[in-house]
Amino acid sequence: MQVECSKCHRMFYTSQEDLTFCPECLKKEFQAAPKLNDNELSELKAQYKSAARRQSARAERMNVGYLTGETFSTAGKIRFGIGVVLFILCLFVFLVGESNPSATPITELDPVQQRIVSVVFCWVAAGFVYFSTRRRPKLILSIAALFVLSGWYMPVFWAMVGKAVTPAAKVVVEEEKKAVTPEDTVITPTDNRRVLTDADISVYTQHAKRAQHLAHYGVYIDVQDGRARNIIRDAMTRILGAEYTRPYTRANGALFLVANVQGNRKDISPLLSRLGRVTYADVQEGVYEVLYDAEKANMVSHFSAEVLGSPNNTSFVSANISEMGCLDPMRVRMAANALANADVHILRREVHDAFARVLQEPWGDDQDTYTQLIRGLIVYSYPKDKVSIDLCRNYFRSRYSMHKEVDDAVIKFLIRETPDEMVAPIVEFWCENPVAWASSLKSLGLRVQAPLLDRLQTTNSIRQIGAILKYLQDNGTKDALPVVELFSDHPDSIIRHSARTTIEALRKRN
């Protein structure tokens, strides 16, 4: 573009918008600028060389100080602090996990996973410490090595300390080991000896003293599989109604602390016999030991997905009945769903008995499995089946008391088998949601007229009054006329109109 020079006022071409001097004027300005003399130039060069020497000396001192360990920089102190804090944090987590009676994320892991977590944290802490400074390298290396070694032993550190502070128990164990012969190492059902020492079950005994008003149990099972431990823990909590169950790693197995069970302490050997052979039982103290048998516990399914999911397979029924006998709720739920959907015509009595047998266990905390088992039981029930009626009634009452949604299949079954018992709850459900429960209320017939008339005289809800009048208009009898006529002069115009329409419909009805 063409721009006018601000000095000589001549026009010149340029691509820069902020340029106001033409090239000739700029040349004159630079030629007129004062030049440095020799003294000024030499002084400037000397200052530059001095600054370069100072910078080089500073860098050399920092390098020498880092290599010889003469300094401990602020960044190094921060790295050292982070390493120590990480180690203390890891130590504190495992200390809390060992001493806390309730379950923690660390105690949910099996021993191998706990060691992996500990090793990772301790290696990171050791790395921060090792690279913090070169000052006193032997001391820093020793601290880092201590952190690394601690990572492997930290999960069992507090158990080792507990054994160390009970030398008497240790001596007794050593004396017992000397007196035992190879033949005596095999535990028979008549043996009443504990494998665990008092130090091993110290966690249980300490908790038992704190919870004397509730029942509690300490069960040792020589199971090392983490998945099996989780299933056993959840099953004990569910079946015994405990507040929680927590496994402690002990003697190549797990000591399950079953805490805060409502009611008096009882013999739980029948439950434990499903997991293997009970080798020690002290009912008064609530201490048991079980020789784990994976086959007896049915922890691993021996049937393929094709057998369990194909009703045409000859082993379909027996395989799913076997699956429902295990302690894993997921397998129980899948087997119950498969049998309910198949509705097989062979071995129906055996399937019905299997559902009834499994439902004897408490399933209130696992509503998905509970509902699926009830659905399957209804499919294989027969008219006037007292066992099925009682189990469905218990399911309905538990859901009804908690104001939870009840499965439609259970509602229909109970209306069919025990209609008189279902009048009051169905009327209450219908009053809350007339649209959703209309078919259920209608299926009860004239049984609901009396309770609806009682509700009509006691409620102040305009919505409920209108819904009841509409139901009586469509399904009521002349016996409802005295109560309905009371609303023919109601202050609300809609209610008055509905009542008068209902009166006309009732009078026309035979």
Side-chain angles (χ1 to χ4, degrees):
M1 64 180 176
Q2 197 172 14
V3 181
E4 181 182 0
C5 178
S6 60
K7 190 174 183 64
C8 63
H9 302 289
R10 288 185 299 179
M11 302 300 292
F12 67 96
Y13 289 92
T14 179
S15 61
Q16 299 180 8
E17 297 180 357
D18 57 345
L19 186 61
T20 59
F21 286 91
C22 63
E24 289 78 4
C25 294
L26 283 174
K27 184 176 180 181
K28 293 178 182 179
E29 288 291 332
F30 281 116
Q31 288 177 351
K35 298 182 179 179
L36 294 176
N37 54 34
D38 294 339
N39 293 334
E40 290 175 340
L41 184 60
S42 60
E43 184 178 353
L44 183 61
K45 290 181 179 180
Q47 291 178 359
Y48 173 78
K49 291 180 180 179
S50 177
R53 285 196 299 269
R54 288 196 300 272
Q55 185 68 19
S56 177
R58 187 180 300 109
E60 186 177 357
R61 285 197 304 272
M62 292 178 63
N63 186 40
V64 172
Y66 178 76
L67 293 176
T68 59
E70 293 179 357
T71 60
F72 198 171
S73 64
T74 302
K77 293 178 182 178
I78 294 175
R79 286 194 293 270
F80 185 84
I82 292 175
V84 173
V85 169
L86 279 177
F87 179 77
I88 294 175
L89 179 62
C90 184
L91 192 66
F92 177 75
V93 167
F94 282 98
L95 169 62
V96 171
E98 186 71 20
S99 59
N100 188 6
S102 59
T104 62
I106 289 295
T107 57
E108 296 290 333
L109 304 176
D110 57 42
V112 175
Q113 293 174 332
Q114 289 182 4
R115 277 184 164 162
I116 292 175
V117 172
S118 175
V119 166
V120 169
F121 270 90
C122 290
W123 269 89
V124 173
F128 275 104
V129 170
Y130 181 76
F131 292 104
S132 62
T133 182
R134 293 297 182 181
R135 191 175 188 179
R136 297 183 180 178
K138 293 183 179 180
L139 176 62
I140 295 298
L141 182 60
S142 301
I143 296 175
L146 176 64
F147 286 7
V148 171
L149 294 176
S150 300
W152 182 255
Y153 294 102
M154 191 174 293
V156 296
F157 173 74
W158 300 109
M160 296 167 58
V161 171
K163 293 181 180 180
V165 298
T166 55
K170 185 176 181 180
V171 172
V172 172
V173 173
E174 291 179 353
E175 290 179 355
E176 289 180 355
K177 288 182 178 179
K178 293 179 182 178
V180 172
T181 61
E183 292 79 8
D184 296 331
T185 57
V186 179
I187 301 175
T188 62
T190 58
D191 289 333
N192 199 32
R193 299 174 303 171
R194 252 194 1 233
V195 174
L196 299 180
T197 65
D198 291 335
D200 291 329
I201 64 170
S202 59
V203 174
Y204 166 72
T205 54
Q206 291 173 5
H207 184 85
K209 293 177 181 179
R210 297 198 301 266
Q212 294 179 356
H213 60 289
L214 297 170
H216 38 271
Y217 304 91
V219 182
Y220 169 74
I221 305 176
D222 62 335
V223 55
Q224 300 182 15
D225 181 28
R227 179 178 175 274
R229 287 185 182 182
N230 292 336
I231 294 174
I232 293 172
R233 178 200 63 198
D234 295 340
M236 286 185 177
T237 303
R238 174 177 57 83
I239 297 176
L240 295 177
E243 182 179 346
Y244 63 87
T245 300
R246 179 179 172 190
Y248 292 85
T249 302
R250 293 292 185 276
N252 295 325
L255 174 64
F256 292 85
L257 171 61
V258 188
N260 299 343
V261 180
Q262 296 293 334
N264 297 326
R265 186 178 292 149
K266 58 185 179 181
D267 186 8
I268 61 173
S269 297
L271 168 61
L272 300 179
S273 62
R274 297 173 60 180
L275 303 173
R277 182 159 55 91
V278 180
T279 58
Y280 177 85
D282 188 342
V283 179
Q284 291 184 346
E285 294 295 329
V287 179
Y288 299 83
E289 289 186 359
V290 179
L291 191 60
Y292 177 68
D293 186 347
E295 292 292 330
K296 190 174 183 180
N298 196 8
M299 287 294 177
V300 180
S301 177
H302 298 286
F303 305 99
S304 65
E306 182 180 358
V307 173
L308 295 172
S310 176
N312 297 325
N313 193 291
T314 56
S315 301
F316 171 78
V317 175
S318 58
N320 281 287
I321 289 177
S322 174
E323 287 291 289
M324 285 201 301
C326 70
L327 294 176
D328 188 351
M330 183 180 69
R331 289 169 58 190
V332 173
R333 187 164 58 250
M334 293 177 64
N337 183 58
L339 288 171
N341 293 336
D343 192 9
V344 296
H345 300 288
I346 59 171
L347 301 176
R348 292 186 67 87
R349 171 63 68 175
E350 287 76 4
V351 176
H352 171 274
D353 294 343
F355 275 107
R357 184 171 56 254
V358 175
L359 280 166
Q360 298 302 321
E361 299 179 5
W363 290 97
D365 294 335
D366 188 351
Q367 289 298 323
D368 292 337
T369 306
Y370 195 8
T371 301
Q372 190 58 62
L373 288 170
I374 288 292
R375 286 176 181 171
L377 178 67
I378 292 173
V379 171
Y380 291 93
S381 64
Y382 48 89
K384 304 304 178 183
D385 180 4
K386 186 177 183 304
V387 174
S388 299
I389 291 173
D390 290 341
L391 291 172
C392 289
R393 182 188 290 121
N394 293 337
Y395 169 82
F396 176 80
R397 288 176 178 173
S398 66
R399 301 292 290 175
Y400 181 70
S401 62
M402 296 186 295
H403 303 284
K404 299 292 185 180
E405 183 180 356
V406 184
D407 190 78
D408 291 338
V410 180
I411 296 292
K412 293 177 181 178
F413 176 80
L414 290 176
I415 289 177
R416 184 179 73 241
E417 298 295 333
T418 59
D420 293 335
E421 294 183 12
M422 297 300 293
V423 170
I426 294 299
V427 167
E428 186 170 345
F429 289 150
W430 180 85
C431 289
E432 294 178 358
N433 192 344
V435 176
W437 292 91
S439 60
S440 298
L441 186 73
K442 190 174 181 179
S443 63
L444 288 171
L446 295 178
R447 296 180 182 87
V448 302
Q449 180 167 295
L452 284 177
L453 292 175
D454 294 339
R455 181 66 67 96
L456 185 62
Q457 298 178 76
T458 57
T459 184
N460 294 321
S461 173
I462 299 299
R463 182 183 64 84
Q464 282 191 18
I465 294 174
I468 294 173
L469 290 174
K470 181 66 171 67
Y471 179 84
L472 293 174
Q473 178 183 337
D474 297 335
N475 305 285
T477 64
K478 291 183 178 180
D479 295 336
L481 277 173
V483 178
V484 176
E485 288 174 349
L486 298 175
F487 292 85
S488 58
D489 296 324
H490 196 275
D492 189 277
S493 59
I494 297 177
I495 297 299
R496 286 199 307 271
H497 179 269
S498 180
R500 292 168 183 174
T501 306
T502 303
I503 292 171
E504 293 178 3
L506 292 175
R507 287 174 177 173
K508 294 179 182 179
R509 192 167 295 138
N510 294 329

